[in-house]
Amino acid sequence: AYWNPAGLAQLRTMEATGMGATMFNDTRYTFFALGLPTEKWGTFALNGTFTTSGEYERATWDMDLDETFSEKESVVSLGWAGNYGRFAYGAAIKSVSQDMGGAKGSSMGVDAGVYYRPHRLLSLGASVQNLVSPKITLIDEEEELVRSVRAGLALRFFKSRLIMSSDLVKTKWMDTSFRTGLEAWLTRSIALRGGWDSEREHMSAGAGFRLNNWQFDYAYVSTDLGAQNIVSATMRFGVPFGVKVDRDRALFSPSGADREVTFNIQTAVRGEIESWRVDIADDYGNLVRTMTGNGAPPEGVSWAGDDEDGRLVADGKYEARVLITDSMGQEWDYATDVEVLG
């Protein structure tokens, strides 16, 4: 929503994010974003960035005035992204406002970007911030926000559990700089991150934690003006992991009245689904039954407690893992437990 509006095309479900940071010199930074993908009309996003600094001492060239003032800035934008196959494009129109000691000004601007994922292991992106540059006049002199151009790539390994991204950034008043970052998901719920900014020679480190539809993130950034601590929370609605499965009963008896269990499958992936598979394993991890199909999975897949040879399995707990493969060859999986008795 902020760096490259074309990236919004990757959203699978509606998301809401809030972020806050306390920076140097009593500067407070707040960010929020709401993304909404649709079936036919692309993906929309609303986001806002707010910065407050102060209190500064007010003075003329030869005396203090025994007064203080603060400085406030805000950027609110409405973004949109569409896609054509593996290529995505997006733009955002934004309102930029500034208030410095009572002198106020505002203006409109436009950001734009593109995104391309030729392979499940590689994605490419480019964006122009302030393609249409906002021009703000506080008192009598107009000031134009500088244009920023960036291009980058991301590499994914181990089924996207390890991601490396790098950007080249060029602005009007700065040489081309290089930024890179690394994210490693140790488990489905815990991530570690690190980053490097060659222009400012700043390092960062952080971690993320997922709990069902929630994700919490923390970053520590070392700067010349001191350390920054950044925290954020994200809520994903619907199916956050691409696929989700639940069962109509936690316990069933293949020889009783309730002779089978039905696994209800929900999916939320961008693009087409090539195939699906349901693997059922016993408590020791031994595979006892596999059910497969091409295309999108049915809403419900039933299991009557039998193995591949049609024999009833032994009593005990079993895990049903649903795995779907999209058109790029990326796999998404989710598991639930069920118990067989009698």
Side-chain angles (χ1 to χ4, degrees), residues 35-315:
L36 179 63
T38 66
E39 289 287 340
K40 298 180 180 179
W41 306 105
T43 302
F44 296 88
L46 175 68
N47 79 88
T49 305
F50 306 92
T51 307
T52 303
S53 300
E55 300 282 338
Y56 299 108
E57 294 183 1
R58 192 187 298 270
T60 65
W61 68 275
D62 62 346
M63 70 174 62
D64 293 333
L65 299 180
D66 294 326
E67 297 178 6
T68 60
F69 69 96
S70 61
E71 192 267 348
K72 300 177 182 178
E73 295 180 11
S74 66
V75 181
V76 178
S77 73
L78 179 64
W80 174 86
N83 69 286
Y84 182 77
R86 299 182 180 184
F87 178 78
Y89 43 88
I93 183 170
K94 60 186 180 182
S95 172
V96 181
S97 302
Q98 189 173 17
D99 180 347
M100 184 174 291
K104 300 179 181 180
S106 62
S107 182
M108 304 294 291
V110 175
D111 299 337
V114 292
Y115 175 87
Y116 180 52
R117 192 171 180 184
H119 190 272
R120 60 186 174 86
L121 302 180
L122 172 67
S123 58
L124 308 169
S127 66
V128 181
Q129 290 182 303
N130 300 323
L131 177 65
V132 177
S133 297
K135 300 177 180 180
I136 298 177
T137 302
L138 293 181
I139 299 177
D140 55 9
E141 186 173 340
E142 184 179 77
E143 191 169 325
E144 182 177 355
L145 270 68
V146 69
R147 182 171 298 158
S148 174
V149 180
R150 68 177 58 233
L153 60 84
L155 295 172
R156 296 169 172 83
F157 305 97
F158 308 112
K159 298 181 179 180
S160 295
R161 293 178 180 173
L162 178 65
I163 302 175
M164 183 190 73
S165 65
S166 298
D167 281 359
L168 290 175
V169 185
K170 181 70 175 73
T171 63
K172 184 177 181 180
W173 307 114
M174 296 171 61
D175 294 331
T176 301
S177 61
F178 173 76
R179 291 95 187 270
T180 187
L182 191 69
E183 176 184 79
W185 285 93
L186 306 182
T187 68
R188 195 179 195 126
S189 300
I190 300 175
L192 296 179
R193 305 184 181 97
W196 169 252
D197 183 340
S198 68
E199 174 66 28
R200 301 176 178 86
E201 296 186 351
H202 292 169
M203 295 184 64
S204 64
F209 175 70
R210 285 178 179 171
L211 180 64
N212 297 324
N213 289 47
W214 283 95
Q215 180 171 323
F216 304 93
D217 295 288
Y218 167 78
Y220 174 89
V221 184
S222 174
T223 74
D224 297 334
L225 298 177
Q228 300 174 14
N229 295 282
I230 306 169
V231 294
S232 69
T234 299
M235 174 64 176
R236 295 182 175 91
F237 301 83
V239 184
F241 297 109
V243 61
K244 185 177 181 180
V245 60
D246 56 26
R247 64 276 200 267
D248 60 354
R249 51 177 54 88
L251 173 69
F252 79 105
S253 173
S255 59
D258 299 322
R259 294 178 178 269
E260 63 181 19
V261 59
T262 298
F263 302 107
N264 302 306
I265 303 173
Q266 303 176 59
T267 60
V269 300
R270 306 299 286 181
E272 300 293 330
I273 297 177
E274 290 286 339
S275 62
W276 61 273
R277 189 173 83 232
V278 178
D279 291 333
I280 299 175
D282 61 21
D283 215 17
Y284 300 99
N286 300 313
L287 193 64
V288 298
R289 181 73 192 275
T290 297
M291 294 170 279
T292 63
N294 295 321
E299 292 185 1
V301 175
S302 297
W303 179 50
D306 52 343
D307 62 15
E308 295 290 358
D309 298 322
R311 298 171 299 191
L312 294 183
V313 299
D315 291 354

